[in-house]
Amino acid sequence: MSVLIRNGRVVTAADSTVADVFVDGDKVALIGARLDVEADREIDATGKYVLPGAIDPHTHLDMPFGGTVTIDDVTSGQTAAAFGGTTCHVDFCIQGRGQSFAEALAGWHGKREGKAIIDNGFHIAVTDLEEGGSLEELATLPEQGITSYKLFMAYKGVLMVDDETLFRTMEVATKTGALVMVHAENGDAIDVLVREALAAGHTEPRYHALTRPPELEGEATHRAIALAHIAGAPLYVVHVTCKDAVDPIAAARAKGWDVWGETCTQYFFTDITDLDEPDFGGAKYVFSPPVREAWHQAVLWDAVRTDALSAISTDHCAFTLSGQKTLGKDDFSKIPNGAPGLEDRLRMIHHFGVNEGRLSLNRMVELLSTNPAKLFGLYPRKGTIAPGSDADLVIFDPTRKTTISAATQHSKSDYTLYEGTEVTGDVDLTMIRGTVVVEDGELKVEPGFGQFVKRAKFGEQLL
C-alpha cells in the first residue's frame, strides 16, 4: 500500500520543513514539496508535525522482579508505546541464574512471539558468568543482532555483578562490537544502608531514596567510565538522575571518550518529596536510581540540551500500586522498583521541553529517536525520515490539549506519575513500516504485527 502525507512539517534531528512524504510499501520513498505522485491513501497533515517514530532504548515488559512480574506484557506495553508515538523499543532480556544466554533469549522471544504490536530488539543483561553463560557465548551475540550488554552495579544478591565481571564483559564488548550499558549505583554500600535503615525501624517509601544517595550513583558512574576506558569499550550509562552522575559523563565526553548517558522522563518531573505522598502513595515513586531533590531537574534539562546526556528513555517498568507495590507496605526494600511511562514520554518532553523553551524541536527528535537509533544499531533504517528508511512515522498535533490520566492510559498499571497534567501536543497517528497502527484513538493492528529487529554492531549502520 502507498500513502502520501501532505503539507506536514517534517522534522528530523537536522531539519524542519513543510513537505510531503510519500510512503511506498514499508519504506519512505520520496520527500518534497507538492509531490506529483498517486497513492492509495492521502493524509492531510497541515499544521501538524511529521516526526520519525520515537525509539525507547530502555524498557522492561513481562519481567519478573521483587517477587512479582511487571503488569505490562508485550501487548499492553507496546500498545501504550504506539499510542505515545513510540514505534520501536529495546527491551532487556535478563539472564537468570544458571541460564545460558541462549536460554534467556529463547524465553524472552517467547514473551513477544504473537504478541508484539511495535518493533523491538533486545539487550542482554549479564548476571551469571559462573554457572550460566560464558564470555565465549556472550561474544557470539552481536552476530545474532544482540549488540548491547547490560550490567547492574546495584541490586546486590539479585542482579548485581562484581567489578571483575563488569571489566571482563567490557573487554569482550571491545572485541565484538557491542555497547556496554550500566546501571550505575554502588550496590554494596546501598545494601549496608538499607539494612541499617530497617534495623532502625525506618520502613517508609522515603527511605528508598535516603539509602541510595546521589553520591553512590556518582561513584559508580565514575568507576564504570574508568573501567570502560581501560578496556577500550564504548559505555552507555542508563537512567542518570543527578549532578553527581552527569558531571563524570560530561567530563569523559569532553575528553573525547566513548561515553554516553541517558536520563528518563520521570526524573524531570518527580522529586524526593513525592515519596511522602500519604496512604502509601509514595510507593508509586519508588524506582532506581531514586527520585532526587528537585534542584537536580534543572541539571538534567541542561544536560540533555548540551549533549552531556544524549537520550531520554522511560525505563518503563510498570506495577500496580494495589497488589504489587503494596508488597512493601511494611518494608520499603520490598516495594517493586519501577513505574509506567511508555505512553507519556513524547508529549511530556514536547510540552515541557519544546513548548517551554528548554529544547528545540530538532533536539527533541534527536533525544527521543535519532540518537537511540544511532547508539543501538537501528540507524538509518529507523530514527529518521529519509528515502529508504522504514516508514515509522508519527503525525503529531502540536495544538491538541490532553490531560494525562490513569483512566485513559493503555498501560495496565493503575496509576500514572503525571496524573492530571495538561499538555499541549499529542499523537494523531502512528505508522510502522508503512502500516497505520494507531489512528483516531484506536489500535489498528493485531498482536503479532510487531517485528523483532536484529541490530547492527556498535558504530555500524542497519541497512
Side-chain angles (χ1 to χ4, degrees):
M1 183 176 176
S2 58
V3 179
L4 181 60
I5 302 172
R6 288 205 180 275
N7 301 318
R9 178 163 291 280
V10 180
V11 185
T12 66
D15 299 298
S16 175
T17 184
V18 175
D20 301 339
V21 179
F22 178 59
V23 174
D24 190 11
D26 62 356
K27 303 290 185 183
V28 174
L30 296 168
I31 305 168
R34 297 180 295 278
L35 292 177
D36 185 16
V37 293
E38 293 186 1
D40 297 318
R41 180 184 177 188
E42 287 196 12
I43 299 172
D44 182 8
T46 301
K48 299 175 183 178
Y49 301 148
V50 182
L51 308 175
I55 296 170
D56 194 335
H58 191 151
T59 61
H60 300 279
L61 303 181
D62 202 356
M63 183 189 77
F65 185 87
T68 186
V69 179
T70 54
I71 194 64
D72 279 325
D73 63 4
V74 170
T75 297
S76 65
Q78 291 189 353
T79 297
F83 275 89
T86 292
T87 55
C88 184
H89 71 115
V90 191
D91 205 65
F92 287 94
C93 169
I94 312 292
Q95 176 204 22
R97 294 291 178 184
Q99 269 192 329
S100 69
F101 297 120
E103 289 168 338
L105 285 164
W108 246 259
H109 276 293
K111 296 172 186 285
R112 68 167 304 284
E113 287 173 3
K115 299 178 181 179
I117 301 295
I118 70 173
D119 291 353
N120 79 277
F122 286 132
H123 311 290
I124 190 74
V126 179
T127 65
D128 183 5
L129 290 178
E130 294 181 358
E131 300 177 2
S134 66
L135 291 172
E136 291 74 19
E137 185 190 9
L138 187 64
T140 69
L141 298 188
E143 296 294 342
Q144 302 173 42
I146 310 294
T147 57
S148 41
Y149 305 153
K150 166 74 176 293
L151 298 108
F152 292 86
M153 301 171 76
Y155 300 120
K156 186 173 182 177
V158 182
L159 297 170
M160 179 178 156
V161 299
D162 59 20
D163 283 357
E164 179 183 350
T165 299
L166 178 60
F167 186 70
R168 293 174 73 192
T169 300
M170 288 172 168
E171 290 185 322
V172 171
T174 301
K175 298 173 183 177
T176 61
L179 176 63
V180 175
M181 309 170 73
V182 291
H183 174 138
E185 291 183 285
N186 188 314
D188 286 318
I190 289 168
D191 184 62
V192 172
L193 292 173
V194 168
R195 286 187 278 113
E196 289 176 346
L198 292 173
H202 301 308
T203 62
E204 306 93 327
R206 163 174 278 267
Y207 284 89
H208 174 74
L210 295 180
T211 56
R212 307 179 85 106
E215 293 88 349
L216 296 185
E217 184 182 344
E219 182 278 329
T221 301
H222 184 275
R223 178 160 37 106
I225 290 170
L227 293 173
H229 183 64
I230 295 167
L235 179 71
Y236 182 93
V237 184
V238 301
H239 49 41
V240 172
T241 73
C242 57
K243 187 178 189 299
D244 306 66
V246 169
D247 284 351
I249 294 170
R253 291 178 59 73
K255 296 174 185 175
W257 294 5
D258 286 339
V259 176
W260 293 266
E262 68 167 30
T263 188
C264 306
T265 318
Q266 57 267 30
Y267 296 117
F268 295 110
F269 306 109
T270 60
D271 65 65
I272 195 168
T273 62
D274 291 313
L275 291 168
D276 295 327
E277 189 174 300
D279 301 322
F280 199 61
K284 294 182 293 186
Y285 306 93
V286 170
F287 34 80
S288 296
V291 287
R292 303 298 187 191
E293 293 182 1
W295 66 265
H296 288 279
Q297 294 171 2
V299 174
L300 296 178
W301 281 116
D302 188 61
V304 295
R305 180 183 60 81
T306 62
D307 205 41
L309 297 179
S310 303
I312 301 172
S313 72
T314 64
D315 193 7
H316 182 95
C317 188
F319 300 98
T320 58
L321 178 60
S322 176
Q324 289 189 303
K325 291 280 189 177
T326 47
L327 290 170
K329 182 78 172 176
D330 300 314
D331 179 348
F332 71 88
S333 71
K334 291 184 169 58
I335 301 171
N337 285 209
L342 259 170
E343 192 163 354
D344 302 321
R345 179 179 56 146
L346 174 56
R347 53 192 177 186
M348 288 292 287
I349 298 303
H350 172 264
H351 181 88
F352 293 98
V354 176
N355 286 354
E356 297 196 353
R358 295 182 175 95
L359 299 172
S360 70
L361 196 55
N362 303 103
R363 181 60 178 165
M364 181 191 78
V365 168
E366 194 169 27
L367 289 162
L368 302 189
S369 183
T370 308
N371 279 353
K374 288 180 175 179
L375 287 164
F376 292 101
L378 295 164
Y379 186 87
R381 182 170 151 192
K382 297 182 184 294
T384 192
I385 303 174
S389 295
D390 283 359
D392 295 357
L393 304 171
V394 173
I395 298 178
F396 188 87
D397 184 347
T399 66
R400 182 169 144 200
K401 294 185 183 298
T402 302
T403 300
I404 296 174
S405 174
T408 54
Q409 71 181 2
H410 294 84
S411 167
K412 292 180 180 178
S413 179
D414 57 359
Y415 71 93
T416 169
L417 298 176
Y418 317 112
E419 184 68 43
T421 301
E422 184 177 284
V423 294
T424 301
D426 205 354
V427 173
D428 273 1
L429 178 148
T430 301
M431 175 185 291
I432 300 176
R433 289 176 277 105
T435 296
V436 174
V437 174
V438 169
E439 187 176 16
D440 297 329
E442 296 182 2
L443 186 66
K444 299 294 186 179
V445 298
E446 296 294 326
F449 171 79
Q451 295 182 354
F452 177 74
V453 183
K454 293 183 177 180
R455 296 177 291 119
K457 294 181 180 180
F458 181 76
E460 297 181 2
Q461 294 193 338
L462 187 69
L463 302 174

